[in-house]
Amino acid sequence: MATEHPLIESAAHWLWDALPQVDGDIVLTSPYLSIDICQKVASAASDSSRSWRLVTTLDASAVAGGYLSVQGLQALLGAGVDVVHTDRLHAKCFVIGSRAMLGSANLTGAGLGSRANPNHELGVELDPEQTRHALEVIGGWPSRGVAPSDLDDLEKAAKDLTKVSTQRPGEPLEASSALHLAERLLVDARDPKRTVWLKLEYGMPKLDGWRGPSLFASSSKGCPSFRPGDLVFICAKETYDCYAVVEITAQAEFQPDDYADAVAIDRPDDLDRWPWVNRTEPRLVPDNLPELKLEELRTSGQGLRNGHVRLSFDQFTAGVRALARLASS
C-alpha cells in the first residue's frame, strides 16, 4: 500500500520537477548554498512572474568554510530574488506554489543529490495544510532583508577570519569579532603543541575577571599540567556556566607573592589548598553571560575532581562555536 507522503531521497529531482509546474510564489529556506544551485535557482527566478524569496543566514564562518556562496547570493539578488537573513536558521524547506518539501537537504549540490558523492539526505512532501502552516512559521521568524552591501561585508568578514586575532583587554565583543576570535581559536586548538582544557572556578561567573591578564589557582596535589599556549574554557562551579576562553601565558608558579597577598585577608586557606597559579590572557570573553552550560560540552562536573579536565577537540570546537554564536546573537 503506497504511503500518502513517500520519502524523498533526491531533493534535486523533486525541486527541478516542481519548478516548471509552479502555481504560486516560491519560498526557500537553507542555511548553506552552493554557487551551482544558486545559479539554477536564479535562472528559474529570472524567467518567472512569481515572487521568489530565499531565507538564509549570513554566517561568515560558513563562507570561510565553503558552505555558503557569496557569489551565489549575488546571483540570486541579481535575478530579483528577495534574500532575507534569519539568525540561527537550520530548517530546509522548499515551498513551490502549492507544493512543499521539508527535509535535511541544503541548497547545495551535495545536499540535493545532484553532485558526485552526494550526501545521504531524506525529505517528505507536505500536504496543502502543512504547506500553509510552514509558510506561516517561516513568515513569523525574525528576519531582515539582504542588500548587495551586506554581501560585501560578509565576504570581508569571511576573509578576516583567517587573520591572527586575540581579544584586547577591555575590548567589546561585536558579532563579527566574536566569529573572528572563534575561528582563530579553533586554528590554534589544532596545534599539536597545545592542549585544550576546562577549568572549574568556584563561585558565580565573573566575566570582568577574565577581560584582561588574570590567573587561576590549582590544588596542592602537584604542579598542574597546563603549559604556555594551552587554551582553557572557564566554567563557574556554582552555576556550571561555561562563559570564557583564556590562554595560558606562563608555566605554573607555586604561591607567587601577588597571589599570596590577594588571598591573605579574605581567603587565607586558599594559599595552601590551591597553591599553584597559572597566568592567562583573554581569547574569547563575551560582554554578557551566555547560556552555555557544562553539559553542552558533553562533560560533567564529576570528571572535575581536581578542578580541571582535558577536552577533546570536538568538545572544545562545539563549545567555542556555541560561545561565539551566543555572543553574536
Side-chain angles (χ1 to χ4, degrees), residues 99-182:
R99 298 180 63 188
M101 172 190 162
L102 185 67
S104 61
N106 281 285
L107 286 172
T108 64
L112 295 182
S114 61
R115 185 178 296 173
N117 299 318
N119 297 340
H120 299 294
E121 311 274 6
L122 284 176
V124 64
E125 184 161 353
L126 305 182
D127 64 29
E129 180 58 31
Q130 291 171 326
T131 298
R132 287 190 291 271
H133 189 196
L135 286 172
E136 290 175 3
V137 172
I138 294 168
W141 291 338
S143 62
R144 61 176 176 84
V146 173
S149 59
D150 295 315
L151 300 184
D152 293 339
D153 293 340
L154 178 64
E155 188 167 40
K156 181 179 183 301
K159 291 178 180 178
D160 286 344
L161 290 179
T162 61
K163 296 179 181 178
V164 176
S165 176
T166 56
Q167 188 173 1
R168 292 186 290 274
E171 180 183 38
L173 199 61
E174 299 177 350
S176 59
S177 61
L179 294 172
H180 187 178
L181 293 167

Side-chain angles (χ1 to χ4, degrees), residues 14-32:
W14 184 93
L15 185 60
W16 308 137
D17 286 345
L19 282 175
Q21 307 170 47
V22 62
D23 57 358
D25 295 337
I26 293 88
V27 177
L28 310 171
T29 77
S30 178
Y32 295 163

Side-chain angles (χ1 to χ4, degrees), residues 148-290:
S149 59
D150 295 315
L151 300 184
D152 293 339
D153 293 340
L154 178 64
E155 188 167 40
K156 181 179 183 301
K159 291 178 180 178
D160 286 344
L161 290 179
T162 61
K163 296 179 181 178
V164 176
S165 176
T166 56
Q167 188 173 1
R168 292 186 290 274
E171 180 183 38
L173 199 61
E174 299 177 350
S176 59
S177 61
L179 294 172
H180 187 178
L181 293 167
E183 293 304 316
R184 184 65 249 175
L185 264 174
L186 297 182
V187 170
D188 289 344
R190 295 184 182 95
D191 184 345
K193 296 179 181 179
R194 297 179 189 255
T195 302
V196 292
W197 303 85
L198 185 135
K199 180 71 169 69
L200 204 60
E201 286 288 281
Y202 279 97
M204 300 293 289
K206 304 178 184 68
L207 276 166
D208 289 342
W210 304 104
R211 297 195 195 284
S214 189
L215 57 84
F216 58 68
S218 299
S219 76
S220 57
K221 295 182 179 180
C223 181
S225 300
F226 301 116
R227 297 177 299 178
D230 285 358
L231 302 170
V232 184
F233 236 112
I234 302 298
C235 178
K237 185 175 182 181
E238 187 73 19
T239 62
Y240 283 153
D241 285 299
C242 298
Y243 64 96
V245 180
V246 298
E247 180 175 335
I248 303 293
T249 58
Q251 296 287 354
E253 305 169 58
F254 186 79
Q255 296 182 338
D257 291 343
D258 58 340
Y259 173 62
D261 292 342
V263 302
I265 298 176
D266 298 328
R267 310 188 311 276
D269 292 343
D270 283 7
L271 191 61
D272 291 324
R273 292 181 62 200
W274 313 99
W276 291 98
V277 167
N278 282 98
R279 302 186 187 276
T280 69
E281 64 179 9
R283 290 298 305 267
L284 181 57
V285 184
D287 294 336
N288 301 299
L289 184 66

